[in-house]
Amino acid sequence: MKKLRLNAQAEIPILGLGTWQLSGSECQSAVEEALKIGYRHIDSADGYGNHQELAAAIKNSGLKRDELFITSKIPAIHLEHQEVLDSAHRYLEELQTNYLNLLLIHWPNSSIPIKDTLSAFAQLKDEGVIRAIGVSNFTIPRLEEALATNVEITNNQVEFHPSLNQADLKEFCDQHQIVVTAYSPVGRGEDLDLPVILELAKKYEKTPSQIVLNWLISQDIVAIPKSANPKHIQENFASTEFALSAEDVAAISHLDGHNRLVNPGFADFNS
Ligand SMILES: NC(=O)c1ccc[n+]([C@@H]2O[C@H](COP(=O)([O-])OP(=O)(O)OC[C@H]3O[C@@H](n4cnc5c(N)ncnc54)[C@H](OP(=O)(O)O)[C@@H]3O)[C@@H](O)[C@H]2O)c1
């Protein structure tokens, strides 16, 4: 599995398992299945309430901690300096681990100075509690504010799929050595019926999901599809095993439907 460099201590596998809306035994089974198939990257968040299920699945897998890449996220309401420190330590207990590979600010919060939040992230990294620092749902202006603190931002996890192609944001991230992770990479299922995707699935003898995920991966965008279905988990894992032609990558890139699916009331994508 290809990995992308975040910093001297962390490389992120280009495909991971998303776990939003996975809880209880369904979550534990999905993660166990994914780890059995070969996934080594699991995306979680405090807000998903599933750290303990992840810990149980990891324990049952028998895998060593250093074989895994675990991401979690701190919610926008807990971004005061001390809250960040306390939250990260609680996550370690819930996940039964002594470090996180990547910790993200889940959503920006303009009422808390970003330098206060990021200084706590930097402290956690210095202490070895986390290996890499990142953000999520950050627009270019928000990233500029974060970068102005001089804390090393290695990752921006944003909604990205054929019908929401955030190419400008990707270009900005490339210029600043920030790896982009695509959340809702198959458009929560919606992008799997797009005519271009269906045509390419036929042409390559792949599934629509494999075409969409390969489009992301081929641009060095990390993809974290969520699935509770073993067949889909397997199918998504195999999306790294072929290559779309440059022409077909471009055909998908031209779709750009501005179809944003995750847009909670508190979000502000205009600044
Ligand atoms: N940072 C953020 O604010 C944020 C926001 C949203 C999501 N995320 C992260 O990104 C992950 C993925 O995003 P998402 O869950 O919104 O959407 P997604 O991964 O694009 O789509 C998930 C949906 O697609 C279906 N699916 C998955 N693989 C499939 C396949 N091969 N064939 C057919 N259907 C398939 C799943 O159903 P089945 O379960 O039945 O397969 C599920 O209904 C989340 O789980 C979470 O970890 C982060």
Side-chain angles (χ1 to χ4, degrees):
M1 170 78 61
K2 182 172 181 179
K3 293 177 179 176
L4 301 179
R5 184 184 188 278
L6 296 177
N7 60 29
Q9 292 166 37
E11 287 186 314
I12 187 167
I14 199 145
L15 190 83
L17 181 76
T19 67
W20 182 29
Q21 295 172 332
L22 278 177
S23 61
S25 59
E26 186 185 45
C27 178
Q28 188 177 327
S29 309
V31 176
E32 281 177 9
E33 182 68 22
L35 295 175
K36 212 183 290 167
I37 288 167
Y39 286 75
R40 295 293 178 261
H41 165 190
I42 310 292
D43 181 76
S44 184
D46 190 22
Y48 303 168
N50 59 21
H51 284 161
Q52 273 139 345
E53 285 77 9
L54 256 59
I58 290 167
K59 193 171 177 200
N60 288 345
S61 76
L63 290 164
K64 294 199 207 81
R65 178 64 185 88
D66 63 4
E67 295 178 88
L68 297 168
F69 189 100
I70 303 173
T71 304
S72 194
K73 315 183 190 88
I74 301 196
I77 51 164
H78 294 312
L79 295 177
E80 299 282 4
H81 186 95
Q82 190 58 45
E83 286 179 304
V84 170
L85 301 177
D86 294 345
S87 298
H89 285 280
R90 173 169 57 81
Y91 302 174
L92 295 189
E93 279 184 29
E94 291 170 354
L95 286 158
Q96 293 175 35
T97 184
N98 53 6
Y99 69 94
L100 295 170
N101 299 80
L102 177 62
L103 184 64
L104 309 179
I105 296 176
H106 202 150
W107 290 86
N109 180 345
S110 56
S111 65
I112 299 173
I114 186 81
K115 65 173 183 9
D116 294 355
T117 302
L118 286 176
S119 63
F121 273 69
Q123 185 179 326
L124 290 167
K125 179 158 181 286
D126 288 345
E127 292 169 356
V129 172
I130 63 174
R131 298 261 165 104
I133 297 167
V135 297
S136 177
N137 296 298
F138 272 45
T139 56
I140 292 175
R142 295 290 189 181
L143 284 173
E144 283 170 334
E145 285 167 16
L147 290 167
T149 65
N150 287 323
V151 172
E152 189 186 33
I153 308 296
T154 66
N155 182 239
N156 189 20
Q157 185 181 121
V158 295
E159 184 176 340
F160 206 123
H161 45 87
S163 67
L164 186 71
N165 178 4
Q166 303 209 60
D168 293 351
L169 183 56
K170 166 76 165 91
E171 196 181 322
F172 179 89
C173 287
D174 285 349
Q175 285 161 3
H176 294 274
Q177 288 81 48
I178 298 171
V179 170
V180 172
T181 297
Y183 78 62
S184 305
V186 300
R188 318 209 75 210
E190 285 190 20
D191 283 9
L192 303 179
D193 297 327
L194 295 169
V196 173
I197 301 300
L198 292 173
E199 256 172 55
L200 291 173
K202 211 181 274 177
K203 174 174 166 184
Y204 286 85
E205 298 182 335
K206 298 289 174 189
T207 68
S209 178
Q210 288 172 331
I211 298 293
V212 168
L213 295 172
N214 195 275
W215 171 73
L216 292 164
I217 290 162
S218 67
Q219 301 174 78
D220 277 348
I221 297 173
V222 177
I224 47 168
K226 170 264 165 187
S227 180
N229 176 330
K231 188 173 153 277
H232 293 164
I233 295 173
Q234 171 75 62
E235 178 184 317
N236 295 343
F237 191 68
S239 65
T240 61
E241 293 165 3
F242 71 104
L244 288 168
S245 70
E247 197 182 37
D248 290 331
V249 168
I252 301 175
S253 299
H254 284 134
L255 289 172
D256 192 15
H258 303 285
N259 180 29
R260 193 180 285 284
L261 301 171
V262 180
N263 198 356
F266 59 81
D268 177 7
F269 291 109
N270 299 314
S271 63

